[in-house]
Amino acid sequence: MPEGHTIHRAARDHRRAFSGQKLSVTSPQGRFSEGASLLDSKSCETVEAIGKHLLYRFQNSSALHVHLGLFGRVRKNPLPLKPPKGAVRVRLVSKTHYVDINGPTICEVIDQSGVDALFKRIGPDVLRADANPEISFQKIQRSGLPIGQLIMDQSIMAGIGNIYRTEILWRQAIHPEIPGKAISRHTFDRIWDDAAYLLAIGMKRNAIVTVDAHLFSKKRSGEKYNIFGTVSCPKCNGDVRRLEINKRRAFVCDKCQPLPKHVS
DNA sequence: TTGATTGTTACCGG
DNA sequence: TCCGGTAACAATCA
């Protein structure tokens, strides 16, 4: 579930619910009790997303840093409180709502220097207005690694996950195995712009939707992909080939996403 | 019980 | 320094 759009959506939602409020912070499962007690009954100033990282900023520049990993979930509900479902590491409670954070891989309290370090190791985030895509392009241009790997590397550009990777490259007719150094500025811009566009839609719909026909329809339709997890290309009807990039499944239509001949 | 999954980091070796 | 490979960890669901 958690690609960048999920995290940004949660940040926006929780910011509205929690900004300026004193929160009760507990750890129902007891695995985060010291961290929870550091933040308990402090005022939450704002909530922000940096790529797939969530940051709840509290008074005194301390922050709750959360990364959901592959399986983590974050859920907001109106009061009254209900018993925690599953492995709730952190529960944040305001006067009106509560948020449960299930199964994060990172869950820690950090200070301002920790926040600075986080920003330093995460690349420009396609969903943030303050992102500078030039930094991403420079890194891609210097790398011989496949573009399919580079656009999912959060230190190069942040927000894209395994599904968007396949879908964006298909939509832009770019073969995932083209090395970064063979990607032109114009091609990079198409990737960046489509990522920003699709993730913003994902935020609105709370679902990964990458099929034009569904993007333009008003119907709520849940997840809609072009070639991710499929066997035939909706554009040319040819075979979709499954491959692995960094031990993650990826898909390509070799006909619609041609690999240039001079590239091995 | 097994396997798969929208993620990331640490460590080692070439 | 860069890059590939491997393991580890996280929780849930079919």
Side-chain angles (χ1 to χ4, degrees):
Chain A
M1 181 152 228
E3 297 202 26
H5 66 293
T6 310
I7 308 305
H8 277 263
R9 183 186 167 93
R12 185 186 57 183
D13 195 23
H14 299 180
R15 188 184 312 131
R16 285 180 185 153
F18 287 166
S19 286
Q21 292 200 50
K22 272 190 188 171
L23 301 186
S24 139
V25 184
T26 56
S27 182
Q29 251 55 23
R31 294 217 228 169
F32 181 63
S33 26
E34 324 94 60
S37 63
L38 287 173
L39 298 175
D40 191 34
S41 69
K42 282 196 178 177
S43 166
C44 175
E45 263 139 40
T46 189
V47 186
E48 74 180 293
I50 305 127
K52 301 173 187 170
H53 298 253
L54 251 184
L55 214 52
Y56 297 83
R57 291 175 173 274
F58 286 79
Q59 61 195 91
N60 308 329
S61 307
S62 57
L64 172 62
H65 172 212
V66 170
H67 192 288
L68 295 179
L70 196 50
F71 321 118
R73 294 285 186 281
V74 50
R75 293 188 196 93
K76 190 186 82 172
N77 292 298
L79 295 180
L81 292 176
K82 286 187 187 148
K85 211 171 142 191
V88 178
R89 287 250 185 112
V90 187
R91 172 170 274 187
L92 304 165
V93 187
S94 77
K95 282 178 188 157
T96 55
H97 292 82
Y98 68 100
V99 164
D100 281 347
I101 297 169
N102 285 63
T105 49
I106 297 173
C107 182
E108 60 182 2
V109 177
I110 57 179
D111 60 11
Q112 187 57 48
S113 70
V115 172
D116 294 342
L118 178 64
F119 270 94
K120 214 172 160 188
R121 76 187 171 83
I122 304 298
D125 176 345
V126 297
L127 280 177
R128 285 180 68 112
D130 60 5
N132 178 6
E134 180 65 23
I135 295 170
S136 305
F137 178 63
Q138 290 304 329
K139 288 184 178 171
I140 287 171
Q141 208 183 29
R142 275 185 266 115
S143 174
L145 294 173
I147 189 65
Q149 181 170 338
L150 294 171
I151 64 170
M152 223 178 94
D153 182 332
Q154 304 298 302
S155 68
I156 291 176
M157 54 190 285
I160 295 175
N162 198 39
I163 294 175
Y164 279 124
R165 156 170 76 183
T166 280
E167 292 292 306
I168 289 166
L169 293 177
W170 180 84
R171 284 167 56 91
Q172 298 304 320
I174 300 162
H175 198 288
E177 288 168 315
I178 298 173
K181 57 178 68 155
I183 297 290
S184 70
R185 179 59 201 243
H186 176 250
T187 301
F188 166 77
D189 286 342
R190 284 195 284 120
I191 295 172
W192 179 279
D193 292 345
D194 205 29
Y197 172 67
L198 290 176
L199 267 74
I201 286 170
M203 247 181 107
K204 263 189 212 134
R205 298 214 176 183
N206 201 18
I208 300 175
V209 182
T210 59
V211 180
D212 280 333
H214 291 274
L215 291 174
F216 303 137
S217 95
K218 290 217 165 172
K219 270 189 284 178
R220 237 179 294 170
S221 50
E223 263 90 49
K224 289 290 175 196
Y225 314 143
N226 294 292
I227 65 165
F228 189 87
T230 72
V231 294
S232 79
C233 174
K235 201 181 283 178
C236 74
N237 269 324
D239 289 342
V240 165
R241 182 165 62 91
R242 180 178 167 154
L243 58 157
E244 266 193 11
I245 307 176
N246 271 21
K247 286 281 156 198
R248 308 294 304 281
R249 59 184 175 147
F251 300 84
V252 63
C253 170
D254 289 295
K255 205 163 162 193
C256 295
Q257 300 163 265
L259 195 58
K261 281 200 184 101
H262 57 278
V263 172
S264 64

